[in-house]
């Protein structure tokens, strides 16, 4: 008797620009793309794999995440999912505006929406519990976090903590390959963190072979990403040393780290 075949979802990076990853999900000839900053690269990736685009998912309004949306939508008629708090250029194509608590069906998988303001005011993330996958745009990066263009340190810290509270084996599909520069900063903050030293060596080897260091896992991030470690004594002390002020709240430790990273060479 024939058994039903369950096809797994494949998740591939489509490298774009200098250091972006557009994430291509596919299963049984259908595809979804997260943060398509460049339409031509997505068309090429679809053609190479003989895929039809079903869905376009957007985490926030920046051009490197949205530049290809209108053209892809026009050519494919794919459904477009966008943050409710941001206006995304779709060339007139309708979108489904999402906020925390919403859930969508993508390629037969349920994705849950989380509000994660900080990098931008309306930034959202997509969590697929059954895939153990998180698409978090420019909020949480491998070894770091996004810049605060439209949010406060308190907002970003709360957003990062929300993501860090997801299951530890969740893979973190962030939108940029910033890992080595993030880990250099992390080592300046926590030079004695053995896990961090090991991660830095491993990621350096991967980059030397042009391999993506993304996705990481939330477990790795919690052990090595200073922006998720503001309550660790060594992280607090480093933030205090760097700003020569008494840091009391977690938010002020986070703010000091983010300001330090902004000018870290
Ligand atoms: Zn961005
Ligand atoms: Fe970006």
């Amino acid at each position: 008797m024939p058994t039903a075949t369950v096809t797994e979802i494949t998740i591939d990076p489509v490298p774009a620009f200098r250091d972006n990853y557009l994430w291509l999900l596919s299963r049984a000839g259908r595809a979804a793309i997260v943060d398509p900053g460049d339409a031509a690269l997505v068309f090429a990736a679809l053609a190479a794999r003989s895929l039809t685009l079903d869905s376009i998912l957007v985490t926030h309004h920046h051009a490197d995440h949205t530049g290809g949306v209108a053209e892809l939508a026009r050519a494919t008629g794919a459904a477009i999912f966008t943050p409710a708090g941001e206006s995304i250029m779709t060339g007139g194509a309708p979108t489904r505006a999402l906020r925390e608590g919403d859930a969508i069906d993508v390629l037969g998988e349920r994705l849950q929406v989380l509000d994660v303001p900080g990098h931008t005011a309306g930034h959202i993330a997509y969590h697929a519990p059954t895939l153990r996958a998180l698409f978090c745009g420019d909020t949480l990066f491998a070894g770091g976090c996004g810049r605060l263009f439209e949010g406060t340190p308190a907002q970003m810290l709360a957003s990062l903590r929300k993501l860090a509270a997801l299951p530890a084996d969740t893979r973190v599909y962030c939108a940029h390959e910033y890992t080595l520069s993030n880990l250099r900063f992390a080592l300046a903050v926590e030079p004695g963190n053995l896990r961090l030293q090991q991660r830095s060596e491993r990621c350096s080897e991967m980059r030397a072979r042009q391999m993506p260091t993304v996705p990481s896992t939330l477990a790795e991030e919690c052990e090595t990403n200073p922006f998720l470690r503001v309550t660790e004594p060594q992280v607090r002390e480093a933030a205090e040393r760097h700003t020569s002020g008494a840091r009391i709240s977690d938010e002020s430790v986070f703010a000091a780290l983010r300001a330090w990273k902004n000018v870290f060479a």
Side-chain angles (χ1 to χ4, degrees), residues 142 177 179-180 183 197-209 211-214 216 220:
E177 178 65 62
T179 314
L180 290 190
L183 294 179
Q197 294 162 12
Q198 292 166 339
R199 183 181 188 189
S200 176
E201 277 169 33
R202 196 172 62 249
C203 288
S204 295
E205 284 164 22
M206 292 170 86
R207 292 308 295 151
R209 286 181 283 143
M211 289 168 64
T213 62
V214 183
S216 60
E220 276 185 283

Side-chain angles (χ1 to χ4, degrees), residues 215-238:
S216 60
T217 64
L218 280 177
E220 276 185 283
E221 297 308 328
C222 289
E223 288 178 333
T224 57
N225 186 326
F227 296 99
L228 297 181
R229 296 171 59 76
V230 296
T231 60
E232 292 294 318
Q234 197 177 15
V235 174
R236 300 189 78 92
E237 282 159 27

Side-chain angles (χ1 to χ4, degrees), residues 11-247:
I11 306 176
D12 291 318
V14 178
F17 312 117
R18 250 171 72 95
D19 48 36
N20 283 69
Y21 291 130
L22 325 182
W23 291 106
L24 180 70
L25 289 70
S26 60
R27 165 148 70 193
R30 319 293 299 181
I33 189 79
V34 182
D35 284 349
D38 184 315
L41 294 171
V42 178
F43 286 127
L46 293 169
R49 297 165 176 81
S50 304
L51 297 169
T52 304
L53 190 66
D54 269 7
S55 308
I56 297 168
L57 283 67
V58 174
T59 63
H60 68 292
H61 67 84
H62 287 160
D64 61 316
H65 300 250
T66 59
V69 171
E71 201 179 331
L72 286 166
R74 190 163 52 240
T76 66
I80 311 174
F81 299 97
T82 61
E86 302 191 347
S87 69
I88 307 297
M89 310 269 258
T90 66
T95 76
R96 169 123 181 248
L98 302 172
R99 53 170 52 88
E100 180 138 336
D102 288 335
I104 59 174
D105 186 295
V106 173
L107 306 177
E109 296 290 333
R110 200 159 176 79
L111 270 57
Q112 286 160 354
V113 177
L114 298 166
D115 285 332
V116 285
H119 178 68
T120 63
H123 201 304
I124 59 173
Y126 299 89
H127 176 223
T130 51
L131 298 176
R132 293 271 191 255
L134 172 68
F135 300 93
C136 52
D138 290 355
T139 300
L140 174 63
F141 287 132
C145 74
R147 286 177 186 261
L148 306 184
F149 287 120
E150 300 172 9
T152 64
Q155 281 178 318
M156 186 58 133
L157 181 59
S159 294
L160 293 174
R161 284 178 159 167
K162 189 185 287 184
L163 300 180
L166 298 171
D169 61 353
T170 303
R171 281 162 301 161
V172 179
Y173 292 90
C174 61
H176 290 271
E177 178 65 62
Y178 289 158
T179 314
L180 290 190
S181 100
N182 285 338
L183 294 179
R184 268 195 301 280
F185 174 73
L187 281 167
V189 176
E190 263 193 303
N193 182 332
L194 180 63
R195 291 280 199 202
L196 174 57
Q197 294 162 12
Q198 292 166 339
R199 183 181 188 189
S200 176
E201 277 169 33
R202 196 172 62 249
C203 288
S204 295
E205 284 164 22
M206 292 170 86
R207 292 308 295 151
R209 286 181 283 143
Q210 272 121 51
M211 289 168 64
T213 62
V214 183
S216 60
T217 64
L218 280 177
E220 276 185 283
E221 297 308 328
C222 289
E223 288 178 333
T224 57
N225 186 326
F227 296 99
L228 297 181
R229 296 171 59 76
V230 296
T231 60
E232 292 294 318
Q234 197 177 15
V235 174
R236 300 189 78 92
E237 282 159 27
E240 286 167 10
R241 239 183 358 262
H242 192 75
T243 55
S244 64
R247 300 277 146 195

